Amino acid sequence: MQEAEKSEEKSRLVKAYTAIVLARTLDKKIVVAQRQGRVGFYTPTMGQEALQIGASMALTEKDLIYGYYRDVPMMLHRGVPMEVIINQIMGNSEDSALGRQMPSHFSDKKRNFMSVQSPVATNLPVATGAAFTQKYRKTNSVVLATFGDGSTSTPDFHAAMNMAAVFNLPVIFLCENNGWAISLPVEKQTIAEIWTKAAAYGMRGLRVNGNDVIETHEVTLEAVKRAREGKGPTLIDAVSFRMGPHSTSDDPSKYRSETVEEGSDRDPVVVTEKTLKSRGYIDDKLIESIKSRAQKIVDDKFEECAKIPPPEPKSAFEDVYGKSTWMLDEEVKDIL
Amino acid sequence: MTEMNMVQALNSALDLSMAADDSIILLGEDIGVDGGVFRVTEGLQKKYGPERVNDTPLVELGIVGMAIGMALTGLKPIAEIQFQDFIYTAMDQIINQAAKIRYRSAGQYTVPMVLRTPYGGGIKGGLYHSQSGETYFAHTAGLTVVSPSNPADAKGLLISSIGYGDPVIFLEPKRIYRTIKGEVKDGSYAIPLRKAAVVREGDDITAITYGSMVPTVRDAFEKNNVNGDIIDLRTLMPFDIETIVKSVEKTGRVLVVHEAPRTLGLGAEISAAIAERAMESLLGPILRVTGPDSPFPYRHEEYYLPNEKRIMKAVNKLSEYR
């Protein structure tokens, strides 16, 4: 590897690691805040940081993400300001959706991160339509659609994969296979390995170690390149482990005995540290400084956002239509 | 002006709109080479190419989902659902995506999409080719529901629906696709949404209806010399309450007619809205002539559909209130 290339790789990987640490720090902060009653609900991302950031590294600003409710690390890496995430969690007046959605349902049009839904996999046909536009308008942009392993059982998954292949569209389906759909393990979700499902649609399907940020990046980059060249969609089965519960309302001890502890060999933070260390890109001193800086950023941002007042009640009934209806106007008048 | 049926008028609306705006994309089952099972999109693929008139795989939720994604990224998709009866697998996309995106993104994202679909009975289609499911859509905040009753309205209302800014469910009364002809202006023109039309004027009774029932009610009124207003809603949600109340204050007698089942049908909401606003003007009860609360039958569909006899029975009952 040439010196310049090495230096470029170093800066790319240190940026990725920094985002992984930042995401983990924010994740833990929000979970604690939920326990303290400062936040209503949250879907932790712990364990999926490396695969999300590996995928994000393969995209440009102009590419579009149609994600789901567990994509905070990807957003942070993409450059979504942390306050966009915290304000949404708090549902305050600075939240881009004005507190209308429960926490974890982010939206950031400026960074091409589509507003998130709850019903799983319903984003996939929509992402496919967005990819149609990129092809039709010859934008050279691609669409990254994310979802969990449970989503692969839905009709929306099947419809989206089939249509993306039939129309040969520039979309990458990234399955964030964390092994669990709330209480159902992936072995009970589907008998086939997820990446093999691509074959049914005549599509390229691959499995990657989602704890390996470099491998996920490389595989996604190849898929993105193919999509830009008009070679159609790819399904990536990125295998990781949901280290936390499905949500703050869930207790995994009821249904699973297997755990991945923070700091263990299967923790993507640890895995990434080891990789970067072995390449001589970071040392303990840099790790420490990245971690303490992340903690300060998260603590400061969190308290800053906590001071922002809630939205006006009337805003809860706006943006239903471009122009409100007489029915709604009348109902709101009665409420307020 | 050209004499056309509704299928031709809809085709003309699509053709003129597509010629003027390359962001308009059609998608649906059999709409390209075949021109759609009712031929509404006949000739359009040949004229505009397969990139703009897309034959899709047989999956309604995929068609609707893709249309939503197109609309979010700057296109103005018009999707055809072959029969309204087949739309239900796409309801998650319609209710949880299309209808809620503007709201859940505080207006950052919008869905200027039209879902065209033939609905209603009268073609011997049985349970699964005859349904009138407008209530399912009208009950979802964020959706606009439109249904024309004649060729000229079909063209103008479809043109208004394209790129309207919010998702429009455009319900086409297939029973009168070809049975009614009328003069239709040749160029492009818009008929505003959310505005009803008074298609016949009179003093004694207000009949509120839409879609295929408009000609049925009008024929009954003409044949029996009923001196009443007939209001064609045109937009079912949000319906035009001003036009309704103005007429009710004049006549004091109200009849609502629709094909859809009576219980929790649009007539129920219209009746309540009138009762809340114009109780003092009412001389008698608000009556409904509708389809029954049963599935739509094949052999005996003429018993299901509101007809002159049932309409006149209600008119005569109302005329007893003075």
Side-chain angles (χ1 to χ4, degrees):
Chain A
M1 208 185 278
Q2 297 294 314
E3 208 48 47
E5 224 176 292
K6 206 170 157 69
S7 144
E8 194 274 330
E9 185 191 77
K10 179 182 171 181
S11 99
R12 196 154 31 86
L13 289 177
V14 171
K15 183 191 167 194
Y17 174 71
T18 307
I20 289 175
V21 170
L22 200 59
R24 175 64 59 88
T25 311
L26 178 60
D27 208 53
K28 287 161 70 179
K29 178 84 182 179
I30 298 170
V31 170
V32 170
Q34 194 278 335
R35 298 289 181 242
Q36 294 168 338
R38 300 180 75 191
V39 164
F41 172 89
Y42 183 59
T43 49
T45 57
M46 201 185 269
Q48 288 164 243
E49 294 95 340
L51 79 88
Q52 288 185 21
I53 288 165
S56 171
M57 285 164 76
L59 302 179
T60 71
E61 284 177 2
K62 286 188 176 163
D63 296 323
L64 294 87
I65 299 180
Y66 281 65
Y68 78 125
Y69 47 75
R70 215 185 292 282
D71 279 339
V72 167
M74 183 179 288
M75 296 179 77
L76 287 173
H77 181 266
R78 192 169 174 77
V80 174
M82 190 179 285
E83 52 269 31
V84 168
I85 292 161
I86 302 175
N87 287 333
Q88 198 285 325
I89 296 277
M90 297 195 166
N92 62 32
S93 55
E94 297 287 319
D95 167 26
S96 65
L98 299 168
R100 289 173 191 165
Q101 289 230 74
M102 72 190 293
S104 301
H105 295 67
F106 308 100
S107 176
D108 188 8
K109 195 177 184 190
K110 257 191 214 153
R111 282 99 196 164
N112 285 324
F113 188 89
M114 173 61 193
S115 156
V116 166
Q117 62 292 315
S118 292
V120 301
T122 56
N123 57 322
L124 304 182
V126 179
T128 304
F132 179 98
T133 305
Q134 308 317 311
K135 183 180 178 183
Y136 177 69
R137 291 296 192 199
K138 302 182 173 65
T139 63
N140 204 37
S141 295
V142 305
V143 178
L144 179 75
T146 71
F147 51 99
D149 39 293
S151 288
T152 64
S153 294
T154 65
D156 296 69
F157 170 79
H158 169 76
M161 299 269 289
N162 187 49
M163 289 179 104
V166 166
F167 287 103
N168 194 39
L169 298 175
V171 52
I172 292 100
F173 296 101
L174 178 70
C175 180
E176 302 190 22
N177 180 354
N178 65 19
W180 293 87
I182 305 189
S183 68
L184 198 74
V186 67
E187 304 79 43
K188 289 191 180 172
Q189 191 70 245
T190 173
I191 299 300
E193 287 192 17
I194 286 167
W195 68 274
T196 65
K197 292 172 191 284
Y201 312 100
M203 189 193 297
R204 206 161 149 265
L206 299 148
R207 174 174 212 169
V208 298
N209 175 2
N211 274 358
D212 186 333
V213 71
I214 296 172
E215 187 185 331
T216 314
H217 172 227
E218 283 169 355
V219 167
T220 313
L221 195 62
E222 167 74 8
V224 167
K225 189 167 165 268
R226 287 174 57 91
R228 286 201 215 287
E229 287 168 354
K231 292 179 182 163
T234 302
L235 169 66
I236 300 173
D237 176 11
V239 181
S240 70
F241 191 84
R242 197 189 76 206
M243 289 166 64
H246 162 71
S247 77
T248 48
S249 310
D250 167 44
D251 173 14
S253 71
K254 197 174 169 199
Y255 52 79
R256 73 177 181 192
S257 51
E258 185 191 12
T259 56
V260 171
E261 297 302 331
E262 208 185 352
S264 73
D265 285 352
R266 287 175 69 195
D267 179 344
V269 175
V270 174
V271 175
T272 311
E273 269 169 21
K274 277 187 184 162
T275 308
L276 268 69
K277 268 187 178 171
S278 73
R279 296 190 183 204
Y281 294 159
I282 51 170
D283 54 20
D284 288 339
K285 206 177 140 203
L286 185 56
I287 290 172
E288 195 37 53
S289 106
I290 288 172
K291 286 186 175 170
S292 61
R293 206 174 116 74
Q295 193 64 55
K296 182 160 167 35
I297 293 172
V298 167
D299 289 343
D300 290 353
K301 286 282 178 205
F302 200 89
E303 295 314 321
E304 228 172 80
C305 296
K307 290 191 194 111
I308 299 169
E312 291 294 322
K314 76 174 170 62
S315 74
F317 310 106
E318 290 169 344
D319 300 315
V320 178
Y321 292 89
K323 181 174 170 271
S324 186
T325 65
W326 62 264
M327 290 100 163
L328 183 57
D329 289 344
E330 204 176 271
E331 290 148 9
V332 172
K333 212 172 147 193
D334 184 50
I335 293 168
L336 298 176
Chain B
M1 289 281 206
T2 307
E3 188 175 67
M4 288 185 186
N5 62 33
M6 191 181 284
V7 167
Q8 292 165 323
L10 291 165
N11 185 277
S12 165
L14 294 170
D15 189 5
L16 291 167
S17 301
M18 290 183 80
D21 184 351
D22 76 351
S23 65
I24 297 170
I25 301 290
L26 308 193
L27 67 161
E29 294 157 13
D30 309 300
I31 67 162
V33 179
D34 200 27
V37 296
F38 288 101
R39 307 288 176 261
V40 173
T41 54
E42 185 82 62
L44 297 176
Q45 191 183 62
K46 210 165 184 186
K47 192 163 174 185
Y48 297 102
E51 295 78 22
R52 294 189 64 193
V53 182
N54 292 274
D55 279 317
T56 66
L58 208 167
V59 55
E60 284 72 18
L61 79 88
I63 295 167
V64 175
M66 272 191 76
I68 294 167
M70 292 175 184
L72 287 169
T73 46
L75 301 181
K76 293 173 193 154
I78 305 171
E80 175 176 306
I81 299 298
Q82 202 159 74
F83 285 86
Q84 186 257 289
D85 316 54
F86 304 155
I87 208 167
Y88 303 116
T89 61
M91 287 306 263
D92 201 6
Q93 288 292 336
I94 295 170
I95 294 173
N96 283 325
Q97 291 282 5
K100 290 184 175 49
I101 286 174
R102 179 191 286 277
Y103 179 79
R104 78 174 199 226
S105 68
Q108 286 185 77
Y109 291 98
T110 58
V111 185
M113 162 186 85
V114 180
L115 295 186
R116 293 182 35 248
T117 188
Y119 83 121
I123 62 153
K124 287 281 178 198
L127 278 73
Y128 302 117
H129 298 77
S130 308
Q131 296 176 27
S132 293
E134 55 268 32
T135 284
Y136 301 128
F137 309 106
H139 200 60
T140 298
L143 299 180
T144 297
V145 185
V146 175
S147 183
S149 69
N150 61 73
D153 279 13
K155 182 171 173 179
L157 289 169
L158 183 54
I159 287 170
S160 289
S161 300
I162 298 169
Y164 179 61
D166 287 310
V168 175
I169 310 295
F170 196 87
L171 300 170
E172 301 172 0
K174 59 179 167 299
R175 182 190 188 186
I176 54 169
Y177 257 159
R178 294 174 186 278
T179 56
I180 293 175
K181 288 190 175 185
E183 291 292 319
V184 176
K185 276 190 258 172
D186 292 326
S188 183
Y189 60 92
I191 293 176
L193 305 190
R194 301 189 176 192
K195 197 83 196 110
V198 181
V199 297
R200 180 187 163 94
E201 290 189 55
D203 304 318
D204 298 341
I205 186 169
T206 300
I208 301 157
T209 186
Y210 53 89
S212 72
M213 284 295 121
V214 173
T216 304
V217 175
R218 189 168 40 207
D219 290 350
F221 275 30
E222 278 171 9
K223 217 170 136 188
N224 297 282
N225 294 315
V226 179
N227 178 21
D229 276 353
I230 300 175
I231 296 176
D232 176 355
L233 288 180
R234 287 177 166 171
T235 297
L236 314 190
M237 177 65 202
F239 58 81
D240 176 0
I241 189 68
E242 275 177 41
T243 300
I244 292 172
V245 167
K246 203 175 142 201
S247 174
V248 172
E249 284 171 349
K250 175 178 69 174
T251 65
R253 298 179 191 88
V254 185
L255 171 65
V256 187
V257 183
H258 57 63
E259 258 184 72
R262 183 167 67 185
T263 303
L264 295 174
L266 217 60
E269 187 56 41
I270 291 167
S271 304
I274 293 169
E276 283 167 354
R277 279 167 190 74
M279 194 67 176
E280 298 79 10
S281 305
L282 291 175
L283 299 169
I286 299 169
L287 294 186
R288 290 174 286 170
V289 175
T290 71
D293 291 303
S294 75
F296 196 99
Y298 169 66
R299 183 70 184 267
H300 288 310
E301 73 174 359
E302 68 275 21
Y303 287 89
Y304 189 99
L305 294 165
N307 55 21
E308 184 195 338
K309 192 177 144 201
R310 288 176 57 208
I311 290 165
M312 286 316 298
K313 201 167 127 191
V315 168
N316 292 334
K317 187 172 176 193
L318 280 170
S319 67
E320 288 166 14
Y321 291 91
R322 296 182 178 278

